[in-house]
Amino acid sequence: MALDTHNAASPFEQQLIEQIQQAKTEQSKIQIIGHGSKVPIDHQVEHLSLKEHSGIIQYDPAELVITVKSGTPLAELNAVLAQNNQMLGFEPPEYGNSTIGGTYACALTGPSFPFRGRLRDYILGSKVIDGRGHLMQFGGKMIKNVAGYDVSRMLCGSKGSLAVVTELSMKVLPKIEETTYCIEMPEGEAILLMNQMQGTALPISACAYYQGRFYYRVAGEHPKQDNRVEVNLCTNDIWQTLNPFKPDLQQGQKLWRLDVESTNPAIENTIAVSMGGSRRWVASENKPNHPYVTLWDQRFLPRNNDKPCVKRIKSGLKKVFDPHGIFKDL
Amino acid sequence: MALIEALEKAIGKDNVLSSEEACRPYECDALSAYRQKPLAVALPENVDQVRQVLKLCKQYQTPVITRGSGTGLAGGTLPQADSVILGLAKLNQILQIDPLQRTAIVQPGVRNITISEAAAKYNLYYAPDPSSQIACSIGGNVAENSGGVHCLKYGLTVHNVTSITVLDMDGDPIIFDEKDDGIDLLALMNGSEGLLGVIVEIKLKLLPKPEAAQLVMAAFNSVDQCADAVTSVLKQGIIPAGLEMMDQFAIQAAEDFAQVGYPTDAAALLLCEVDGSHDQVQVDSQRVADILSANGAHQIQVSQNESQRLALWQGRKNAFPAVGRYSPDYYCMDGTIPRSQLAYVLQKISQLSNKYGLRVANVFHAGDGNLHPLILYDANKPGELEQTEKFGAEILRLCVDVGGTITGEHGVGVEKLDSMCHQYSDAELEVFHGIKKVFDNTGLLNPGKAVPTLHRCAELGHMHVHNNQLPHPELERF
Ligand SMILES: Cc1cc2nc3c(=O)[nH]c(=O)nc-3n(C[C@H](O)[C@H](O)[C@@H](O)COP(=O)(O)OP(=O)(O)OC[C@H]3O[C@@H](n4cnc5c(N)ncnc54)[C@H](O)[C@@H]3O)c2cc1C
Ligand SMILES: Cc1cc2nc3c(=O)[nH]c(=O)nc-3n(C[C@H](O)[C@H](O)[C@H](O)COP(=O)(O)OP(=O)(O)OC[C@H]3O[C@@H](n4cnc5c(N)ncnc54)[C@H](O)[C@@H]3O)c2cc1C
């Protein structure tokens, strides 16, 4: 029977299970930490660190799938893929030391999101340990798999509150040559133009507006762009500047991340537009009045704008995965 | 029946069916081997009526089985005798297409193909294209997370849905949007097989139509060679828009049926489509042809125009009915495997075919490892259906054992409940049951589908006993 070995725990996983079971007995709390690159470390609770849990488990470039331990640094993962002329499809931000597990737990995706999809779109399966200390696998290594609820995609964004992720399988993409162009124009016009261009057959892979310029990146073979005088060829550096976006702010200003419809007109105090128009970065003292706003200040503040029915579902799921409330909630 | 009367009063007599004859079309979905007349069929005309049906069913503690077009292949809409079928076919309006934002807001009963037809005037389309797209509903697609020929490049349904509105068993609406923070409930709803809520509105991504597409057809003398060629294409950085493979039986059947010029002497046929900008397609189709011939294809044809391309697809698109002509019945399986296991699995299937004395044709999505073995049988021969089902279950077991899964696109429904016991452990199944309870603590939404009870797995002998401790000792065992 295949399943008897299916959930066999490695010595490291066994250690995590014991730590969780002990916390259950002692009724203590645990904070899951990747590289701790951004999460504020809570010294009042126990830590469960995945830093040492690093490495590629299985990678066959022809399958377009890679399986890794969750503590693997993004830099290492990117390097291994690059050697095979492949890449992560979701262009995660690299804060220096970020782990793939932390990136998954935060559901972080880069500028190609409107074109190639976001992190969860590339997740095929995960191995996790829940708050009962059960080691489980959801999904698999297949691009198509609809057996059972899609728990491995659901856990994207769970920020260490439901389960420890120990392994991840992801779809990867061939690396493709990309070229960036830019045009100087006002923000409102740029928002319109980027939406219009996304509706054409031009193979765009990123669109943004920053410091008076509309930037767009085109993948692979494409029609000549600089036949219009105002179009300039640029380097691809702009995408690193915007991902992760770390602008210099004035005294008292805070950085806010707004998720909007891509056609949303220009929003006051915007300092950058990314993700093809669907993300706006606003620098202001007060929280912008918008439905999907996150304070982006190196601290994990949940938005807390869930409607009561969604809150009920989320707290219900917390009880399913972590019935004893061991994992630190955000 | 008090419930039937209450339903008639709430949504109108014309929208409620209960006679034997009127209910017959709702006795099964496309997996017609399982049938059961429901208590009644409710066919609401709007979301408010859906809400009323749910409220009444909750009041009368009656199971509700949501149904789109009934094209499901896993018995996902199989009624129970005491249940109400909630048919959403009348909720068939496209509410909005926003060409600038490239989105469509639709009701669940809209047929998949209708969306692309409506978007065509803006040069946009909806990418996921299950073969059943002229009939299946978009609500059913979300509930099944359906995929099609194009999904290797353009993703499954889950990748193309940006927001949905769901009614819970109380009839209350909940919106799940891609912009939501925290755990991804929108992803969870995709593929939840009607167990977590009734989807009443969907917002979809529309994509610009590719400028050009070209199809490369290649014939191989062996299945292994063909499988290796698939691997080479992907390894060399080309993601085809479609990558389909057929074995000799399927080639012969398709050619007899559609006469498109498939080489019937080939052991395996590969259809590889590339799409994108004119420039890219030109480069890619040439590269694909080169890679395939370097991998031993003995005949290669590249479509020279649109009508040739569509003609070459005709054989593949009609492969199922074509194979169906050789036998009174056929059973279409659906499992996925790593591509590297293709040759091994096909060889095993052929051994199983001998063991059971039943013929098999293989047609599959080679790009994503999704197999569709068609087992030919005769339902009128006593015992042959049971043999076929056993054969099918062995194929699924094989898929799991080589690292794959029991369903790539058809879902679990009632058909694959037992196979779920092979793929998942008790701890995982318990989590699934826990999730169901959070969304539907009445257990009235599509009961008995998609996730087997631990009890059922125990009966099958697939129980996992760790440290000699029985999970759920309180449950009765058979
Ligand atoms: C709401 C939010 C705000 C952010 N704000 C900023 C910001 O202002 N500036 C900035 O530069 N970056 C910010 N980030 C980015 C983010 O913190 C990092 O990029 C992340 O990828 C760090 O990876 P790490 O391995 O260091 O994770 P950590 O910082 O160690 O952990 C990040 C989160 O993931 C969880 N986690 C980590 N590994 C696992 C695992 N294996 N299994 C389960 N859970 C795990 C942790 O419990 C924690 O909740 C923010 C992220 C979010 C979601
Ligand atoms: C010839 C043929 C070819 C096929 N090819 C493919 C293929 O290529 N790819 C593929 O993925 N599938 C394929 N299928 C299977 C089937 O068409 C898909 O699963 C489709 O998504 C089902 O849609 P439907 O509207 O017919 O759903 P139904 O069969 O009516 O329902 C399917 C499931 O979804 C649930 N459901 C339906 N609507 C809703 C709703 N609004 N809210 C909540 N739950 C709901 C039902 O309860 C049931 O569990 C094929 C079927 C046939 C007959």
Side-chain angles (χ1 to χ4, degrees), chain A residues 3 63 120 137 144 147 221, chain B residues 280 339-340 422 424 428:
Chain A
L3 280 183
E63 294 285 342
R120 68 100 136 126
Q137 277 192 51
K144 263 168 147 182
E221 302 289 334
Chain B
Q280 188 74 52
R339 275 181 295 267
S340 58
H422 190 59
Y424 287 105
E428 290 149 2

Side-chain angles (χ1 to χ4, degrees), chain B residues 149 216 218-231 242-251 262 267-273 292 313 315-316 319-320 337 339 341-344 346 361-373:
Chain B
V149 164
V216 184
F220 293 85
N221 286 325
S222 83
V223 169
D224 288 24
Q225 257 182 345
C226 185
D228 287 346
V230 167
T231 302
L243 192 53
E244 299 287 303
M245 191 167 159
M246 294 158 83
D247 72 2
Q248 179 151 34
F249 187 178
I251 303 168
Y262 286 171
L269 187 75
L270 194 66
L271 296 171
C272 178
E273 180 159 294
L292 297 182
W313 270 121
R316 165 63 186 94
F320 290 10
I337 54 162
R339 275 181 295 267
Q341 300 290 326
L342 210 58
Y344 169 74
L346 289 182
N362 283 294
V363 175
F364 44 87
H365 310 301
D368 44 44
N370 190 188
L371 307 179
H372 288 311

Side-chain angles (χ1 to χ4, degrees), chain A residues 1-4 6-7 60-64 86 113-114 117-118 120-121 130 132 134-139 141-151 153-159 162 171 173-174 176 192 195-196 198-201 203 219-223 259-263 292 302-303 309-310 312-314 316-317 320-321, chain B residues 100-102 144-145 148 151-152 156 158-159 174 176-188 192-193 195-196 203 208-209 211 231 234-235 237 239 277 279-280 283 336-340 365 368 370 401 403-409 411-412 420-425 427-428 430-432 434-436 438-439 461-462 464:
Chain A
M1 242 171 8
L3 280 183
D4 285 340
H6 152 110
N7 283 346
D60 176 357
E63 294 285 342
L64 299 175
Q86 294 189 331
F113 153 60
R118 53 219 170 106
R120 68 100 136 126
D121 292 330
D130 69 4
R132 304 172 299 173
H134 289 167
L135 181 69
M136 299 180 286
Q137 277 192 51
F138 295 100
K141 298 183 172 72
M142 303 293 105
I143 283 160
K144 263 168 147 182
N145 173 12
V146 291
Y149 298 122
D150 199 342
V151 173
R153 286 201 180 101
M154 182 202 90
L155 287 175
C156 294
S158 58
K159 299 183 192 114
L162 295 185
K171 178 183 163 182
L173 293 181
I176 188 159
L192 180 65
N195 276 286
Q196 285 168 341
Q198 290 174 70
T200 68
E221 302 289 334
H222 60 275
D259 289 314
V260 299
E261 303 301 342
S262 64
T263 48
Y292 297 100
R303 276 187 194 136
C309 50
V310 173
R312 184 184 59 76
I313 291 171
K314 286 186 178 171
L317 291 172
V320 170
F321 284 89
Chain B
L100 188 59
Q101 205 184 93
R102 306 161 315 281
E144 294 287 356
N145 189 14
C151 70
L152 178 66
L156 305 162
V158 65
H159 304 123
I174 314 173
F176 299 111
D177 194 286
E178 66 170 358
K179 297 195 279 302
D180 291 334
D181 190 32
I183 54 176
D184 202 325
L185 296 175
L186 179 60
L188 180 67
S192 58
E193 302 202 24
L195 270 75
L196 303 184
K203 187 170 178 183
K209 279 196 195 163
E211 236 170 27
T231 302
L234 296 167
K235 209 168 166 174
I239 305 275
S277 67
D279 303 340
Q280 188 74 52
V283 174
T336 46
I337 54 162
R339 275 181 295 267
S340 58
H365 310 301
D368 44 44
N370 190 188
D401 291 346
T405 91
I406 58 165
T407 169
E409 56 182 25
V412 175
M420 283 286 280
C421 302
H422 190 59
Q423 183 165 339
Y424 287 105
S425 72
E428 290 149 2
E430 268 181 68
V431 163
F432 289 156
I435 292 173
K436 163 75 173 166
V438 168
F439 282 80
H462 289 176
H464 311 287

Side-chain angles (χ1 to χ4, degrees), chain B residues 309-387:
Chain B
R309 182 180 74 86
L310 295 174
L312 282 174
W313 270 121
Q314 278 315 303
R316 165 63 186 94
K317 291 209 164 158
N318 289 302
F320 290 10
V323 171
R325 297 197 309 168
Y326 292 83
S327 168
D329 302 281
Y330 70 82
Y331 185 32
C332 174
M333 301 306 302
D334 160 50
T336 46
I337 54 162
R339 275 181 295 267
S340 58
Q341 300 290 326
L342 210 58
Y344 169 74
V345 168
L346 289 182
Q347 190 199 343
K348 276 275 180 203
I349 290 178
S350 144
Q351 284 169 9
L352 288 170
S353 165
N354 291 333
K355 171 175 155 190
Y356 286 94
L358 294 167
R359 284 181 297 167
V360 185
N362 283 294
V363 175
F364 44 87
H365 310 301
D368 44 44
N370 190 188
L371 307 179
H372 288 311
L374 301 178
I375 308 176
L376 275 56
Y377 73 103
D378 183 351
N380 287 326
K381 286 195 189 149
E384 207 159 289
L385 171 64
E386 290 71 24
Q387 282 298 98

Side-chain angles (χ1 to χ4, degrees), chain A residues 32 34-39 50 95 99 159 165 297-298 300:
Chain A
I32 304 168
H35 262 283
S37 65
K38 289 298 166 293
V39 67
L50 289 136
Y95 292 87
T99 64
K159 299 183 192 114
V165 181
D297 72 343
Q298 323 227 356
F300 289 91

